[in-house]
Amino acid sequence: MATSEDAPLEFAATCEDSFYFLDTECASCTAPLVEDSFRKSNQSPKTVWIQSMDQKFLVLKTSEKFEFENRTVDDQEQSDCKFGIQIYQDSRTDRGQPVMLYACTNGQKMMVSCKNNKEVFPEPMVSMHRVVHDNSLERINETGHKALFQWNCISTGKYKFESTMYSGHFLAFEPSEDKPCLHKLILRQAPKDEVDEPTVIGVKSCSLE
């Protein structure tokens, strides 16, 4: 195949419902196209407790909010404070390991999802869009996603979760305006290479049951 100027073209790839061809005589076009995407790992999800630095537990409230609160040993066994961490693989190699966080309530998985670059809210997995394989979340063809975070270990059991959609914004906790004794989960802008205490999240393995 050739252009109107007889420059040879060669089929390269499909991306976002479009077909792409390379000009084989153009040196700058010889690199292969890379589609940004996230693929669900074959690893089984990890079940964990998520805690703030003052040892409060992240809880999915019936009011459909994420809050940090104190939990007794017995209360720690409730499903509302146990979270799944699903590992994903990134087509890009210059970023951290992407993960999806979710809790189960009434038999439904509710993801930690970014509403904007500040607010975080629970979102049902079944409402996800722009995915393939019958909405199974096996592959997400986007450069960033509101429910995917890059987690990076900064010390034993301590992590930072950076949004893949809002670069430089991390999951963090801050006091609730109406109940200062409670802390809510938010997105917070912070330096990537510095320890910003509200963005340091404790992760501890626990049993699902």
Side-chain angles (χ1 to χ4, degrees):
M1 180 183 292
T3 66
S4 58
E5 298 179 352
D6 293 328
L9 295 179
E10 185 176 283
F11 176 73
T14 58
C15 182
E16 296 292 338
D17 298 324
S18 296
F19 293 92
Y20 290 85
F21 297 82
L22 294 179
D23 180 346
T24 58
E25 293 184 349
C26 176
S28 63
C29 293
T30 56
L33 290 174
V34 177
E35 181 183 358
D36 288 313
S37 64
F38 302 93
R39 184 184 297 276
K40 185 177 177 181
S41 170
N42 291 328
Q43 297 182 46
S44 298
K46 305 175 185 294
T47 304
V48 301
W49 288 302
I50 295 178
Q51 294 178 274
S52 60
M53 292 299 289
D54 59 356
Q55 303 302 307
K56 288 182 170 61
F57 289 80
L58 182 62
V59 177
L60 173 58
K61 307 295 289 184
T62 54
S63 58
E64 296 189 353
K65 295 181 180 179
F66 289 116
E67 294 182 347
F68 286 93
E69 62 181 36
N70 293 316
R71 281 291 172 105
T72 65
V73 174
D74 289 338
D75 289 341
Q76 292 172 23
E77 296 305 316
Q78 300 298 316
S79 61
D80 62 354
C81 72
K82 292 185 178 183
F83 284 76
I85 296 183
Q86 177 61 60
I87 304 293
Y88 275 74
Q89 297 174 341
D90 194 345
S91 61
R92 290 174 52 178
T93 59
D94 60 340
R95 301 190 291 194
Q97 178 76 64
V99 297
M100 181 178 290
L101 307 175
Y102 63 89
C104 294
T105 179
N106 297 322
Q108 187 173 40
K109 293 180 179 179
M110 304 292 289
M111 304 175 300
V112 175
S113 187
C114 302
K115 187 174 184 179
N116 48 47
N117 65 357
K118 176 70 174 178
E119 298 178 270
V120 175
F121 73 108
E123 181 177 11
M125 279 191 178
V126 294
S127 71
M128 297 292 292
H129 60 284
R130 295 187 65 186
V131 295
V132 298
H133 300 312
D134 300 323
N135 291 330
S136 65
L137 295 179
E138 293 294 327
R139 186 182 179 101
I140 300 174
N141 294 321
E142 301 183 42
T143 58
H145 194 275
K146 59 185 177 180
L148 288 178
F149 302 86
Q150 299 160 25
W151 70 335
N152 293 287
C153 182
I154 60 175
S155 64
T156 303
K158 307 296 182 185
Y159 293 83
K160 292 179 70 174
F161 291 84
E162 182 180 8
S163 170
T164 61
M165 177 165 281
Y166 302 104
S167 180
H169 291 73
F170 299 82
L171 289 179
F173 52 93
E174 71 173 13
S176 298
E177 294 180 359
D178 53 342
K179 296 180 179 179
C181 60
L182 293 178
H183 291 73
K184 61 181 179 180
L185 188 66
I186 63 167
L187 268 190
R188 174 184 171 95
Q189 189 171 17
K192 293 187 178 185
D193 300 325
E194 296 180 15
V195 177
D196 180 56
E197 186 169 308
T199 65
V200 178
I201 305 294
V203 177
K204 184 178 180 181
S205 296
C206 64
S207 63
L208 183 61
E209 297 180 357

